[in-house]
Amino acid sequence: MSDLATIWDWLGFAVRWLHVIAAIAWIGDSFYFIALDLGLRPSTDRREGVAGEEWQVHGGGFYQMKKFTVAPRELPDHLVWFKWQSYTTWLSGAALLAIVYWVGAELYLIDAAKADLAPWQAILISAGSLTIGWLVYDFLCKSGMATRPTLLMVLLFVLLMAMGWGYSQIFTGRAMMLHLGAFTATIMTANVFFIIMPNQRIVVADLKAGRTPDAKYGKIAKLRSTHNNYLTLPVLFLMLSNHYPLAFATEYSWIIAGLVFLMGVTIRHFFNTKHMGKPWPWWTWAVTAGLFVVIMWLSTAGFEQDSYEEAGEAALTPRQEMLAAVEGFEVVESIVLGRCSMCHARETAYDGVPYAPKHLFLETRPDILRAARQIYLQSGVSEAMPPANVSYMEPEERAAIRAWYRAAVASLPVPYRLAEAAAD
């Protein structure tokens, strides 16, 4: 725990772990309550306002769930609110965005070939853009479009496609995918924070005051909750997309993202229809499979990568120049070229590896300096790479990587040192 790169990596892991746990809880709530609501049957309970009920069995126990059209006449002493799962997911996701993409903006947010932005400019665009979707979407919902839910969903899809295209014009493909996911997740969490929870508080306040709650608040909240349900699966894909270069490192990554949103709709439509007790719409699986085939085709139709010659001639950044000037770099460069570049190449030379893992290239000096932290963590302080040590990297070579990187980072000014620690 003595060096910043290790500490920062564990910090990112801890926040990512929290993010995943909170997301599982939130998604589970969303899927469960939508399924429960759609599966309600006429109730034998004659109390006024009972709209339906559902009998369920789980863990050896039987449960009887009942839903009121608006609310019960009297509020029970114990009432569970489902909100912190959503808030924790968004807050931890925002923290992860800052840890990986803002602190490491020079490496994984900015694509200088698209827009030559300073880190502060890219961060400002990143943070500011996340609010746009909510403002536009909320305006549409409140403009009377709520009475035409299908049209509203189509307009939301157009908005998401427009933002995906916009992100692809200024950010890296990986950052585009992540930001589109964060953009959508912001809409979902804002639905909970600004609409669903306030409407539920109004109903609770009316009950406590002895007033009859207005049914419109429940209808508004249900619409937003349904939208969240349909957006969940695409957000999961976008958040995991950084593991799949065929999704983000292509000219058509923003179109792939749009098709994933359509796949999310077809999959959720199948299950939501099933929960309603209607005939199962098997056609949705054919549409989903067709969309997936198109995605696979697009993934290789416009693969983004510079040539070996272009990469080798690329100018080094000030940070990279400082790293290269530290004693021991030439040795590390030779080690990486000999042990890693057969897989991490623009044209791989290892059987069974058609594309460089994670779209990470390690065959030129700029490539190696750009990935210095990954090399240190994956091959220096751990033996994760090469996998199963297929290229026979020796302990002395790993020690050389550790010695050079630690000396190099120690020589960096503090701002560069922090950026280097965050390089994912």
Side-chain angles (χ1 to χ4, degrees), residues 213-236:
D214 193 328
K216 72 176 183 179
Y217 296 110
K219 293 179 180 179
I220 294 172
K222 182 180 177 181
L223 176 67
R224 303 296 183 104
S225 181
T226 301
H227 289 170
N228 283 2
N229 179 261
Y230 278 98
L231 293 172
T232 298
L233 295 181
V235 169
L236 284 176

Side-chain angles (χ1 to χ4, degrees), residues 170-194:
I170 54 176
F171 292 154
T172 64
R174 171 175 162 169
M176 181 281 293
M177 287 283 196
L178 188 282
H179 277 75
L180 189 57
F183 179 88
T184 309
T186 299
I187 291 176
M188 296 168 66
T189 298
N191 272 337
V192 176
F193 187 81
F194 291 112

Side-chain angles (χ1 to χ4, degrees), residues 198-220:
N199 283 7
Q200 289 178 342
R201 292 191 189 100
I202 291 172
V203 172
V204 169
D206 284 341
L207 287 172
K208 289 182 176 179
R211 299 187 296 266
T212 300
D214 193 328
K216 72 176 183 179
Y217 296 110
K219 293 179 180 179
I220 294 172

Side-chain angles (χ1 to χ4, degrees), residues 116-262:
D116 190 11
L117 300 172
W120 70 267
Q121 294 173 315
I123 293 169
L124 190 62
I125 293 172
S126 168
S129 67
L130 299 183
T131 64
I132 296 174
W134 164 249
L135 295 174
V136 175
Y137 164 78
D138 188 54
F139 170 78
L140 292 173
C141 288
K142 293 177 178 177
S143 68
M145 199 67 67
T147 60
R148 306 174 69 182
T150 301
L151 178 59
L152 178 58
M153 287 295 289
V154 170
L155 292 176
L156 177 57
F157 174 73
V158 172
L159 173 64
L160 293 169
M161 289 291 288
M163 288 304 300
W165 178 84
Y167 282 134
S168 72
Q169 301 306 300
I170 54 176
F171 292 154
T172 64
R174 171 175 162 169
M176 181 281 293
M177 287 283 196
L178 188 282
H179 277 75
L180 189 57
F183 179 88
T184 309
T186 299
I187 291 176
M188 296 168 66
T189 298
N191 272 337
V192 176
F193 187 81
F194 291 112
I195 302 298
I196 297 173
M197 292 308 301
N199 283 7
Q200 289 178 342
R201 292 191 189 100
I202 291 172
V203 172
V204 169
D206 284 341
L207 287 172
K208 289 182 176 179
R211 299 187 296 266
T212 300
D214 193 328
K216 72 176 183 179
Y217 296 110
K219 293 179 180 179
I220 294 172
K222 182 180 177 181
L223 176 67
R224 303 296 183 104
S225 181
T226 301
H227 289 170
N228 283 2
N229 179 261
Y230 278 98
L231 293 172
T232 298
L233 295 181
V235 169
L236 284 176
F237 176 92
L238 294 169
M239 294 307 182
L240 294 172
S241 64
N242 68 304
H243 296 287
Y244 302 99
L246 286 174
F248 70 77
T250 167
E251 181 180 351
Y252 305 110
S253 56
W254 66 279
I255 300 178
I256 289 175
L259 296 179
V260 168
F261 276 103
L262 295 180

Side-chain angles (χ1 to χ4, degrees), residues 379 382-383 385-386 389 393-402:
S379 300
S382 75
E383 297 181 2
M385 291 291 167
N389 203 20
M393 184 177 286
E394 299 292 340
E396 295 79 10
E397 293 174 321
R398 297 185 190 276
I401 292 172
R402 292 195 299 271

Side-chain angles (χ1 to χ4, degrees), residues 271-322:
F271 285 102
N272 290 343
T273 303
K274 171 179 174 290
H275 295 318
M276 293 173 67
K278 295 182 178 180
W280 295 8
W282 292 107
W283 60 267
T284 58
W285 290 103
V287 173
T288 303
L291 291 170
F292 193 67
V293 169
V294 175
I295 286 174
M296 288 192 291
W297 173 71
L298 286 174
S299 69
T300 57
F303 206 69
E304 288 184 3
Q305 67 179 46
D306 50 2
S307 67
Y308 174 81
E309 292 75 17
E310 291 172 336
E313 295 171 357
L316 299 181
T317 66
R319 179 186 62 84
Q320 292 169 353
E321 290 178 347
M322 285 183 270

